[in-house]
Amino acid sequence: MFKLVIGNKNYSSWSLRPWFLLKHADIPFEEILIPLYETDWRKHILKYSPTGKVPCLIDGKVVVWESIAICEYVAELFPGCYLLPKDPAMRAEVRSVSAEMHSGFYNLRKTMPMNVRKRFPGHGRTPETLVDIQRITEVWNSCRERFGDRGPYLFGEFTVADAMFAPVCTRFVTYGVELPEPANSYMQYMLNTPAMKEWCAGALTEAHIIAHSEVEDEPGMV
């Protein structure tokens, strides 16, 4: 069975991505949650991950880190789950928007840190962050307009791309970001999936606070 090392569910957007993918695809795994910024937290993560960061997937002797690499690894091991489309052009686009999410949108991450428990409507809307929000909206609308007849996810059926964008859905709720259609319907569907509901329920039970990811202090990234 896989072991997935994650951080706090309230704050760790990186951890949510592969966790969401595994849960949605009904792939069994053992969850190892290491609270971030607690005593010796990095030392504990280094027992599993060479980077000292989360998430990290353990598959026997195989160690995979970085959320996008974990999602790709799982997709290759479970082709029957169709986490990457068979069509080469669609598969390339799934990889492109997933990579864009993985490496981009710095301003959104900075001014709207993930915080499932809280609500801060209107916070963090710098001009640069609004550009990030606009680009995400463009991606979602473009995918839904072209593939909406195939199913409720970005490319119709659930793919790696949906897992990569899952934390953005929680951020938009936390900061009260209003979206046009069809992006809004996509976000609402994602928020109501069993996997997302389970993650958010877990976040609500956590008492630990990471000060630099609370907007009352200096916004930060986890």
Side-chain angles (χ1 to χ4, degrees), residues 16 20 108 112 119 125 133 136-137 139-141 143-144 151-154 161-162 165-197 200:
L16 170 55
F20 191 96
L108 177 75
M112 296 182 175
R119 297 291 182 269
R125 282 165 171 73
I133 293 171
I136 291 169
T137 303
V139 171
W140 289 5
N141 279 344
C143 289
R144 294 302 301 137
Y153 297 101
L154 288 178
D162 298 293
F165 279 103
V168 175
C169 297
T170 74
R171 279 184 161 102
F172 285 172
V173 170
T174 299
Y175 299 97
V177 176
E178 296 183 358
L179 300 175
E181 296 295 344
N184 179 64
S185 293
Y186 167 70
M187 181 180 73
Q188 296 303 326
Y189 191 89
M190 285 283 288
L191 291 167
N192 283 287
T193 59
M196 185 68 83
K197 286 183 175 181
C200 292

Side-chain angles (χ1 to χ4, degrees), residues 25 27 78-84 157-158:
I27 299 170
F78 294 88
C81 293
Y82 304 105
L83 301 173
L84 288 171
E157 295 183 350
F158 182 87

Side-chain angles (χ1 to χ4, degrees), residues 132-151:
D132 283 353
I133 293 171
Q134 179 60 34
R135 174 56 189 158
I136 291 169
T137 303
E138 290 172 357
V139 171
W140 289 5
N141 279 344
S142 175
C143 289
R144 294 302 301 137
E145 287 165 359
R146 288 178 292 135
F147 306 113
D149 60 339
R150 303 186 182 204

Side-chain angles (χ1 to χ4, degrees), residues 8 17 30 71 75 81 110 122 127 133 150 152 166 197:
N8 310 59
R17 294 179 174 111
E30 176 188 347
C71 291
C81 293
K110 181 180 179 181
I133 293 171
R150 303 186 182 204
K197 286 183 175 181

